[in-house]
Amino acid sequence: MNAKPEAALLPLDVERIRADFPLLSRTVHGKPLIYFDNANTGQKPVTVIEAVDQHYRQHNANVARAVHTLGEEATASYEAARDAIARFVNAPSREEVILTSGTTQAINLVAYSYALPRLKAGDAILTTVMEHHANIVPWQLVAERTGARVKAAPIDANGDLIVEKYIEMLTPEVKLACVAHVSNVLGTVNPVREIARECRKRGIPLLVDGSQAAPHRRIDVQALGCDFYAITGHKMLAPTGTGALWAKREHLMAMPPFFGGGEMIREVRFEGTVFADPPHRFEAGTPNIAGFAGIPAAIAYLEGIGFDRLKAYEQDLLAYATDAIESLPGVRIFGRAKEKEPVISFLLEGAHANDMATLLDLQGVAVRSGHHCAHPLMQFFGVPATLRASLAFYNTRAEVDGFIDAIGRVRKLLA
């Protein structure tokens, strides 16, 4: 269902691509914007912006609640987002795609609708040290309510998951395993297929946080072999407040609803309620309809570039940026995994990450500073925070050079 690999990797026309992203042409504090915070949220091409605008101008109505023309158009647009995501992740069926506000809601859905009814005292959920809080805290909350516990597999000093240790920790008490496809701090790409294979041998369902993977690589849930896969729209060019959970139908059919309300039912009586089949069983209330109108446009834009071309460009840019940052005196880079996406977390001797980010903003540079919603990972490296430069296919080598120059100017201010 996914697009075939490109026969020839033609170079990207990045200047033409940049023209599709209005925000990239603005200035900040009188300087041209250098946007290196893509792991936080991606910028939006005109086609996505226009799709949202078109919804409000021409089709604004609620979904699945009216037979009038606007209601039918809004519903068709909303369901088209489900179809686009199903194709994007190569789901066996569109009925396995639950539309959510993002990965956080998707993981919480699994925590409360799948894990909570099944966990008991003595059970365990396995995750890793590198996870985002969204793939830690929901498991802690349901573990506290059931007497279960959360275990975390270790990583090495390079930021690679110690896979053999993860597999060793797949003990009989583990009822659910979790892993990030790509670390939001380190860029580490985890071997999901291998992990999923080992989980299947032991009858342990696997949830994958794909929030940081979807902007950079093809997703094929059938090839990966996992049970649950979560994505976030706003990191892959789509509007905020959009995302999805893909789950095997056998799990969805056995899961009770997490939210209750309208449009997730067949019939409501005070004696009891009959719930709708998946996916609508898990989609109570009015969703971000306009946001989901932008999903097909975002996916079409990424696929129009082609993930093979995109990956080749981003990997070249990552290598260039890594070399440039390594040339800075007193720098410490966190995350040197064997395979990684274009994310570089680092610290500079004598400079606090937040101070650097604040002063870099005055130079027109947008980077993230802080713990990146990954406290356990910061604790592993023994630091309270890092600077993070996260790149995308619309960034350039010239921007990397400008970033390095801006760091030099900021360091003089801090001296």
Side-chain angles (χ1 to χ4, degrees):
M1 295 174 70
N2 280 331
K4 293 180 180 179
E6 295 77 20
L9 293 183
L10 300 176
L12 297 189
D13 185 348
V14 180
E15 290 307 314
R16 185 197 63 75
I17 287 172
R18 287 176 63 84
D20 292 337
F21 292 80
L23 191 139
L24 297 180
S25 64
R26 70 162 289 182
T27 58
V28 174
H29 299 296
K31 297 178 175 60
L33 171 67
I34 297 176
Y35 186 79
F36 281 2
D37 197 18
N38 295 285
N40 198 0
T41 193
Q43 295 305 328
K44 318 307 174 197
V46 170
T47 51
V48 170
I49 297 169
E50 289 177 344
V52 176
D53 180 75
Q54 181 76 358
H55 169 81
Y56 280 127
R57 290 180 183 273
Q58 298 291 332
H59 312 294
N60 185 41
N62 214 328
V63 295
R65 301 184 186 191
V67 295
H68 57 67
T69 298
L70 294 182
E72 290 180 348
E73 289 172 350
T75 300
S77 174
Y78 182 69
E79 292 299 328
R82 193 187 316 278
D83 290 331
I85 292 170
R87 290 192 298 270
F88 182 71
V89 303
N90 196 23
S93 167
R94 71 185 305 275
E95 307 303 319
E96 297 176 340
V97 175
I98 313 301
L99 301 182
T100 70
S101 63
T103 293
T104 298
Q105 184 188 349
I107 293 175
N108 274 272
L109 171 58
V110 178
Y112 286 94
S113 188
Y114 179 84
L116 183 61
R118 291 165 173 78
L119 292 174
K120 64 182 185 304
D123 288 343
I125 299 168
L126 178 62
T127 185
T128 83
V129 169
M130 73 174 71
E131 302 303 314
H132 188 282
H133 294 163
N135 207 16
I136 299 173
V137 177
W139 311 125
Q140 291 177 329
L141 291 173
V142 296
E144 287 173 0
R145 293 174 59 173
T146 59
R149 63 192 177 102
V150 178
K151 305 194 298 183
I155 63 175
D156 63 23
N158 289 325
D160 275 311
L161 179 66
I162 304 175
V163 179
E164 59 270 25
K165 188 64 177 177
Y166 188 102
I167 294 170
E168 180 184 316
M169 295 176 72
L170 291 170
T171 49
E173 73 271 14
V174 174
K175 304 306 178 186
L176 180 69
C178 316
V179 68
H181 199 161
V182 173
S183 165
N184 71 307
V185 179
L186 308 172
T188 302
V189 180
N190 284 314
V192 172
R193 291 192 192 196
E194 180 182 356
I195 291 169
R197 183 172 62 248
E198 295 300 325
C199 286
R200 288 196 304 275
K201 289 178 181 178
R202 295 157 176 80
I204 300 172
L206 175 66
L207 176 142
V208 179
D209 174 356
S211 190
Q212 297 293 337
H216 303 291
R217 56 180 46 226
R218 287 189 183 86
I219 307 300
D220 186 337
V221 295
Q222 296 188 65
L224 291 173
C226 56
D227 295 79
F228 304 95
Y229 197 98
I231 63 171
T232 296
H234 74 88
K235 297 184 190 296
M236 47 179 286
L237 313 185
T240 55
T242 63
L245 170 72
W246 169 81
K248 289 183 176 179
R249 184 167 180 80
E250 65 197 72
H251 297 319
L252 294 176
M253 292 302 294
M255 289 164 55
F258 176 28
F259 293 113
E263 299 310 314
M264 43 78 71
I265 53 86
R266 286 182 180 172
E267 183 181 15
V268 175
R269 296 177 181 270
F270 281 109
E271 296 79 16
T273 294
V274 179
F275 299 112
D277 287 338
H280 299 104
R281 177 187 301 177
F282 305 103
E283 296 176 0
T286 299
N288 181 7
I289 305 166
F292 280 105
I295 285 278
I299 291 174
Y301 196 95
L302 289 170
E303 293 181 337
I305 293 173
F307 277 101
D308 290 346
R309 295 172 67 211
L310 184 153
K311 184 176 182 64
Y313 180 83
E314 289 185 340
Q315 289 298 307
D316 176 80
L317 191 63
L318 172 63
Y320 184 81
T322 300
D323 288 345
I325 292 172
E326 282 183 325
S327 70
L328 296 168
V331 70
R332 178 186 177 190
I333 293 178
F334 301 87
R336 298 178 181 274
K338 292 184 288 291
E339 182 181 4
K340 63 180 290 184
E341 295 296 1
V343 176
I344 308 170
S345 289
F346 64 100
L347 284 176
L348 294 165
E349 186 178 359
H352 192 282
N354 290 340
D355 293 339
M356 285 293 298
T358 300
L359 292 173
L360 283 169
D361 177 63
L362 296 177
Q363 301 294 321
V365 177
V367 292
R368 177 82 182 269
S369 64
H371 54 72
H372 315 294
C373 297
H375 275 154
L377 185 58
M378 296 296 106
Q379 292 159 11
F380 172 81
F381 284 112
V383 296
T386 70
L387 278 169
R388 183 185 69 188
S390 49
L391 313 175
F393 60 88
Y394 45 65
N395 293 129
T396 67
R397 287 190 172 200
E399 287 185 310
V400 172
D401 295 340
F403 174 51
I404 299 300
D405 289 343
I407 288 175
R409 291 191 293 271
V410 166
R411 294 187 88 170
K412 289 179 180 178
L413 293 174
L414 292 174

